[in-house]
């Protein structure tokens, strides 16, 4: 279907035509364009603010959910670790002590021997009533130092030594002769006994599970508080900067 | 010689207008608003509504100016936006109802009728057509669209587009004939 004659005429005339729009049409259009641009900027800011709020909520939710899920795990783990940590050095120290005493009986015997030699004369001169007093005083000391494991060990050793000295002195009183070899043998026996006792009972009685749990919880709570404070500070700074930028 | 600097100026203006330069946008508006209002007036009888539609069209032009890729003419691109805007306006007014009508009583077009009418008379003649006929006629005869393009833009069949054009032509020819007869009569007087 071709173009008709009148259509050609219509097309030429209509395509050449120009109708001038009313005055102020451009101002109307520019106002619309301005409002469009202004509406774009607040949208951007609102999106930014909404994103920060959502981010903050997510971080808070993650932080609040963490303790619930981690509690059982965290409480179990440190208790084991702490138990090992505390028990090992104690065992090592006790074992070291025992081994040192066993390995070097000469050294161990030398020291008490020296003390014995130095204390021999006054001890021999002591009466049985004075000896009993001395024993009581050592027992009291033991009771005082029960709380401290190291002190307990030391006092135990010293107590045994004193007992042995007392026995030796009694023997010496009875028989009148106490040889160095007998003293050494008695000391070796005593150290052997102590080492056996320690190996049989590792210092488990001193570890309080509740106290360990409490300590672990306190540590956890501290770290959680720190995290919350850090997050709050960050979000506050972000909000502050965004508000400052908006005002600018 | 004069066309090349004009095109250069227009591309520069477009580049500035993309960056929301109001001066450049106003220049583009002043350059094309007259022609675009004429285009809108071809489809919309009421000049006030036509102007409103033209402003909406320009608003969209400046909003999507970055999408213009200099492949065709800027005027053609703006013109297409205006035509789409006019069609959507007519649809919103529910005045654009195109029905598929047969071609049974149409025996072909008569190409011997000429017109010596001025633009306003032509516009009046076009305004007298029903909306469906008018839109298809203007798109085909004045804007140069093919039936396939018209059918896509108006969501109608190609056959419907053709039938609308035939009916529009028939009506216009009849009106032109009667006008010519009366004109001859006037001349005679």
């Amino acid at each position: 279907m071709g173009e008709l004659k009148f259509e050609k005429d219509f097309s030429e005339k209509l395509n050449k035509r120009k109708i001038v729009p009313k005055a102020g049409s451009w101002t109307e259009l520019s106002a619309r364009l301005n409002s469009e641009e202004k509406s774009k900027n607040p949208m951007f800011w609102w999106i930014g603010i909404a994103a920060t709020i959502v981010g903050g909520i997510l971080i808070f939710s993650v932080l609040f959910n963490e303790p619930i899920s981690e509690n059982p795990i965290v409480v179990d783990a440190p208790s084991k670790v702490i138990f090992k940590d505390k028990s090992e050095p104690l065992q090592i120290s006790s074992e070291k002590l025992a081994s040192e005493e066993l390995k070097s009986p000469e050294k161990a015997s030398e020291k008490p021997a020296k003390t014995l030699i130095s204390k021999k004369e006054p001890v021999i001169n002591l009466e049985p009533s004075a000896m009993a007093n001395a024993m009581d005083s050592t027992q009291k000391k033991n009771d005082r130092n029960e709380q401290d494991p190291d002190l307990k060990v030391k006092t135990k050793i010293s107590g045994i030594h004193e007992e042995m000295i007392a026995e030796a002195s009694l023997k010496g009183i009875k028989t009148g002769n106490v040889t160095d070899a007998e003293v050494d043998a008695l000391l070796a026996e005593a150290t052997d006994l102590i080492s056996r006792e320690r190996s049989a009972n590792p210092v488990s009685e001193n570890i309080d599970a509740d106290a360990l749990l409490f300590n672990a919880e306190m540590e956890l709570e501290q770290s959680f508080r720190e995290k919350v404070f850090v997050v709050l500070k960050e979000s506050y700074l972000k909000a502050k900067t965004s508000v400052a930028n908006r005002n600018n | 010689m004069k066309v090349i600097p004009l095109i250069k100026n227009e591309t520069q203006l477009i580049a500035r207008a993309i960056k929301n330069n109001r001066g450049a946008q106003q220049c583009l508006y002043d350059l094309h608003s007259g022609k675009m209002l004429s285009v809108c007036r071809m489809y919309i009888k009421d000049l006030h509504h036509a102007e409103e539609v033209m402003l909406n069209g320009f608003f969209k032009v400046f909003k999507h100016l970055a999408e213009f890729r200099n492949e065709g003419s800027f005027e053609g691109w703006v013109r297409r936006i205006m035509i789409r805007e006019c069609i959507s306006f007519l649809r919103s007014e529910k005045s654009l109802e195109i029905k598929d009508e047969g071609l049974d009583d149409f025996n072909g077009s008569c190409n011997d009728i000429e017109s010596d009418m001025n633009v306003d008379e032509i516009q009046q003649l076009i305004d007298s057509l029903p909306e469906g006929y008018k839109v298809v006629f203007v798109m085909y005869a004045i804007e140069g669209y093919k039936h396939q393009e018209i059918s896509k833009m108006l969501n109608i069949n190609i056959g419907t587009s053709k039938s609308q054009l035939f009916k529009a032509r028939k009506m216009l020819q009849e009106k032109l004939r009667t006008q010519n007869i009366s004109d001859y009569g006037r001349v005679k007087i």
Side-chain angles (χ1 to χ4, degrees):
Chain A
M1 202 187 303
E3 196 179 37
L4 303 177
K5 279 182 182 175
F6 74 90
E7 282 175 3
K8 201 180 176 184
D9 183 51
F10 282 12
S11 158
E12 278 174 7
K13 285 175 179 170
L14 284 169
N15 281 325
K16 278 178 189 172
R17 181 180 69 170
K18 281 184 181 178
I19 302 171
V20 182
K22 68 179 179 189
S25 61
W26 166 248
T27 49
E28 197 183 318
L29 182 64
S30 66
R32 275 178 71 181
L33 288 165
N34 287 335
S35 64
E36 173 75 8
E37 267 181 33
K38 278 179 186 174
S39 65
K40 270 183 186 174
N41 288 337
M43 273 295 286
F44 174 76
W45 281 110
W46 278 116
I47 288 163
I49 290 160
T52 48
I53 288 163
V54 168
I57 289 162
L58 278 170
I59 290 161
F60 272 105
S61 65
V62 166
L63 286 172
F64 278 113
N65 288 335
E66 266 181 1
I68 297 158
S69 61
E70 282 179 8
N71 256 342
I73 304 158
V74 171
V75 167
D76 283 341
S79 67
K80 284 176 186 172
V81 172
I82 290 161
F83 186 80
K84 279 178 183 174
D85 287 340
K86 284 200 172 181
S87 64
E88 274 175 3
L90 282 170
Q91 281 177 345
I92 289 158
S93 64
S94 59
E95 280 168 8
K96 273 182 182 175
L97 274 168
S99 62
E100 276 176 9
E101 283 168 355
L102 281 168
K103 278 176 186 173
S104 58
E106 290 170 10
K107 283 181 183 177
S109 61
E110 275 174 13
K111 284 177 186 176
K114 281 174 186 174
T115 50
L116 273 172
I117 292 157
S118 61
K119 287 176 183 177
K120 243 181 186 177
E121 288 171 4
V123 168
I124 290 160
N125 294 330
L126 278 171
E127 288 177 7
S129 60
M131 288 288 288
N133 285 332
M135 289 284 280
D136 287 337
S137 66
T138 51
Q139 274 181 350
K140 278 174 186 174
K141 274 181 185 174
N142 285 343
D143 291 332
R144 278 177 203 163
N145 298 326
E146 262 183 357
Q147 290 172 351
D148 194 356
D150 292 334
L151 277 168
K152 205 179 171 182
V153 170
K154 282 176 185 174
T155 49
K156 228 175 182 178
I157 290 162
S158 63
I160 289 160
H161 280 206
E162 281 174 13
E163 275 176 24
M164 286 170 75
I165 290 158
E167 276 177 24
S169 64
L170 281 169
K171 276 181 184 177
I173 290 161
K174 281 176 184 174
T175 56
N177 294 320
V178 181
T179 57
D180 287 345
E182 279 175 351
V183 170
D184 289 343
L186 283 165
L187 277 166
E189 258 182 53
T191 48
D192 201 23
L193 263 170
I194 290 157
S195 64
R196 272 181 213 160
E197 273 180 20
R198 279 175 195 166
S199 59
N201 296 323
V203 204
S204 58
E205 58 189 22
N206 295 326
I207 296 159
D208 188 7
D210 292 328
L212 287 169
L213 267 167
F214 180 72
N215 284 334
E217 277 170 8
M218 282 300 287
E219 280 171 13
L220 261 173
E221 275 180 21
Q222 272 184 344
S223 61
F224 172 69
R225 274 177 210 153
E226 281 169 8
K227 278 179 189 174
V228 170
F229 283 134
V230 165
V231 168
L232 274 169
K233 198 180 176 184
E234 279 176 2
S235 55
Y236 169 72
L237 284 168
K238 273 181 188 175
K240 200 181 173 183
T241 48
S242 61
V243 167
N245 288 329
R246 192 187 62 183
N247 290 334
N248 290 332
Chain B
M1 289 294 280
K2 283 180 182 176
V3 176
I4 294 163
L6 189 78
I7 291 164
K8 275 186 182 175
N9 283 339
E10 196 174 68
T11 41
Q12 281 174 355
L13 282 172
I14 291 162
R16 283 179 198 166
I18 287 167
K19 292 170 186 173
N20 284 326
N21 185 315
R22 285 280 174 276
Q25 284 175 347
Q26 192 177 358
C27 281
L28 285 171
Y29 177 80
D30 290 339
L31 270 170
H32 299 285
S33 61
K35 270 192 179 179
M36 294 310 136
L37 185 55
S38 171
V39 169
C40 293
R41 176 65 189 85
M42 283 194 281
Y43 294 91
I44 299 158
K45 200 174 177 179
D46 184 49
L47 185 64
H48 177 72
H49 283 147
E51 204 167 327
E52 215 170 274
V53 169
M54 183 204 68
L55 286 175
N56 283 336
F58 267 108
F59 181 73
K60 283 184 182 173
V61 164
F62 293 130
K63 206 176 166 186
H64 301 280
L65 198 57
E67 291 165 31
F68 176 65
R69 291 177 183 178
N70 284 310
E71 284 168 357
S73 71
F74 178 68
E75 193 189 310
W77 186 68
V78 176
R79 211 179 176 99
R80 283 182 83 88
I81 290 168
M82 293 298 166
I83 292 164
R84 283 176 193 276
E85 202 62 28
C86 288
I87 291 164
S88 62
F89 171 79
L90 291 170
R91 276 197 184 129
S92 69
E93 293 283 302
K94 290 179 182 174
S95 56
L96 188 64
E97 284 180 11
I98 300 167
K99 289 175 186 172
D100 191 10
E101 295 164 23
L103 303 171
D104 37 292
D105 60 335
F106 193 72
N107 298 319
S109 55
C110 184
N111 201 12
D112 58 350
I113 300 164
E114 289 179 20
S115 97
D116 194 23
M117 295 156 70
N118 62 34
V119 185
D120 294 332
E121 285 171 334
I122 292 165
Q123 185 63 62
Q124 273 183 0
L125 200 67
I126 290 166
D127 287 341
S128 67
L129 289 170
E131 287 296 339
Y133 293 3
K134 184 171 79 178
V135 171
V136 174
F137 176 78
V138 170
M139 284 180 86
Y140 186 88
I142 314 295
E143 302 290 345
Y145 284 97
K146 305 287 177 201
H147 282 297
Q148 203 175 352
E149 290 173 298
I150 295 165
S151 65
K152 274 185 185 175
M153 285 172 88
L154 297 173
N155 287 326
I156 54 168
N157 296 325
I158 294 173
T160 310
S161 171
K162 282 178 180 173
S163 74
Q164 295 285 311
L165 179 70
F166 289 144
K167 300 269 179 183
R169 275 177 168 173
K170 193 184 174 187
M171 277 184 85
L172 286 170
Q173 281 171 339
E174 281 171 6
K175 284 182 180 181
L176 279 170
R177 259 194 212 113
T178 51
Q179 207 169 7
N180 284 344
I181 290 161
S182 64
D183 281 350
Y184 286 132
R186 265 183 228 159
V187 170
K188 280 175 186 174
I189 291 165

